Amino acid sequence: MTGAARTEERSGDAPPEGRKGKRDVHIVYWLFAAFYTAMSIGVVLLGRATPPPRPDVTDLQAAAWFGQHRTGIQVGFVALLVIAGGAAISNGLIGYFMKRMSSGRVLAYAFIGGMGVGAVPGFHLLLFCWLTAVFRPDRDPRLLHLLYDTGMLSYNGSLGCFTAAYLVLAIAILYDRNRVFPKWFAYVSVWQIVTEVVATQMWVFHSGAFAWNGMITFYIAVVIFALWIICLLPLMRNAANGETARTPALYAAEKGR
């Protein structure tokens, strides 16, 4: 074996015989799965943002809710602040596979940018608002109610960035000739756009199916998002396993275009 061949094998670009895919891609894939698992635990079991609390509450009820769940919010959301960068890893992995598509790398960068910008109002602002609320529980209940509303409306009602990201993902899949992801996944992504558009109504309604905890604006969206993730994980794993020692590095593929 030549020195160049040994260097290539150590770099991870050429997997050993019997192992599918590239080591670094598989590592990031499992980080993707671990991040979404940890995020679910922090948001659902500890932070209690999902299922969401009621929007039709008084100032005193909102303050009492923070008092009841103070410890869970502090533990869960502080942990999420530590690992929040996992969102960038997850979005970067999807962008990696999008750059493998024949539809071009511009759409991949648009997806990464849209999801990255959307993470601020769609995730981080909830953490900041609710951690601020429980940091000083003796604040005026009206201020606590404001933080309660701002966190939930931002978490469930931040629309445009995610709409753009799912749109460019769907377009990239439909125009791709390399069959990185199957065409049907583009239509699953389009349903993500539909739920984002429908969610605009939570800015108007305080109760019912169109409120932030409503059947139409929230629970249907959660089911579709869960379906999207359930489909995405095996699709990315199959795409990663499909890479071989002959699969060109991204920089080589881009140089050849």
Side-chain angles (χ1 to χ4, degrees), residues 5 12 84 90 97 116 127 136 162 176 184 200 202 210 250 254-255 257:
S90 303
F97 289 116
L127 308 185
R136 298 189 192 277
F162 296 114
D176 177 36
W184 58 261
T200 57
M202 73 176 61
F210 290 101
L250 282 179
E254 291 173 2
K255 186 176 180 181
R257 284 184 182 143

Side-chain angles (χ1 to χ4, degrees), residues 29 32-33 36 185 228-238:
Y29 170 83
F32 177 103
Y36 273 101
F185 187 63
W228 187 78
I229 290 290
I230 290 171
C231 293
L232 179 63
L233 286 171
L235 291 180
M236 288 199 301
R237 188 171 186 179
N238 290 339

Side-chain angles (χ1 to χ4, degrees), residues 41-113:
I41 294 172
V43 170
V44 177
L45 299 181
L46 297 174
R48 301 299 182 94
T50 301
R54 297 175 63 93
D56 55 342
V57 296
T58 65
D59 296 342
L60 292 177
Q61 287 173 327
W65 188 89
F66 278 127
Q68 182 181 358
H69 301 292
R70 182 184 183 192
T71 301
I73 291 172
Q74 288 179 323
V75 173
F77 283 6
V78 167
L80 287 178
L81 284 175
V82 173
I83 66 169
I89 296 174
S90 303
N91 298 333
L93 180 61
I94 299 173
Y96 169 85
F97 289 116
M98 290 177 69
K99 290 178 73 175
R100 290 287 188 199
M101 298 177 184
S102 63
S103 44
R105 60 182 184 266
V106 173
L107 293 177
Y109 294 143
F111 176 86
I112 294 172

Side-chain angles (χ1 to χ4, degrees), residues 30-253:
W30 287 112
L31 288 175
F32 177 103
F35 170 74
Y36 273 101
T37 301
M39 186 180 72
S40 299
I41 294 172
V43 170
V44 177
L45 299 181
L46 297 174
R48 301 299 182 94
T50 301
R54 297 175 63 93
D56 55 342
V57 296
T58 65
D59 296 342
L60 292 177
Q61 287 173 327
W65 188 89
F66 278 127
Q68 182 181 358
H69 301 292
R70 182 184 183 192
T71 301
I73 291 172
Q74 288 179 323
V75 173
F77 283 6
V78 167
L80 287 178
L81 284 175
V82 173
I83 66 169
I89 296 174
S90 303
N91 298 333
L93 180 61
I94 299 173
Y96 169 85
F97 289 116
M98 290 177 69
K99 290 178 73 175
R100 290 287 188 199
M101 298 177 184
S102 63
S103 44
R105 60 182 184 266
V106 173
L107 293 177
Y109 294 143
F111 176 86
I112 294 172
M115 294 295 283
V117 173
V120 176
F123 183 58
H124 288 82
L125 190 56
L126 168 68
L127 308 185
F128 294 151
C129 285
W130 282 17
L131 284 172
T132 300
V134 299
F135 183 68
R136 298 189 192 277
D138 56 342
R139 280 192 174 96
D140 187 325
R142 290 178 297 176
L143 292 178
L144 295 178
H145 200 173
L146 175 62
L147 293 169
Y148 179 92
D149 285 348
T150 302
M152 287 309 302
L153 287 170
S154 177
Y155 177 58
N156 290 331
S158 53
L159 310 167
C161 297
F162 296 114
T163 300
Y166 293 130
L167 177 62
V168 297
L169 174 60
I171 292 173
I173 296 172
L174 291 174
Y175 277 89
D176 177 36
R177 295 187 298 274
N178 296 336
R179 299 181 179 179
V180 176
F181 291 160
K183 303 295 184 185
W184 58 261
F185 187 63
Y187 299 105
V188 178
S189 300
V190 168
W191 274 104
Q192 288 275 66
I193 300 172
V194 173
T195 63
E196 295 288 344
V197 173
V198 172
T200 57
Q201 301 308 301
M202 73 176 61
W203 293 89
V204 179
F205 292 89
H206 292 85
S207 62
F210 290 101
W212 76 45
N213 66 337
M215 178 61 67
I216 295 177
T217 53
F218 179 76
Y219 286 98
I220 292 178
V222 166
V223 170
I224 292 176
F225 178 74
L227 176 64
W228 187 78
I229 290 290
I230 290 171
C231 293
L232 179 63
L233 286 171
L235 291 180
M236 288 199 301
R237 188 171 186 179
N238 290 339
N241 288 339
E243 295 184 340
T244 67
R246 297 187 184 89
T247 302
L250 282 179
Y251 69 84

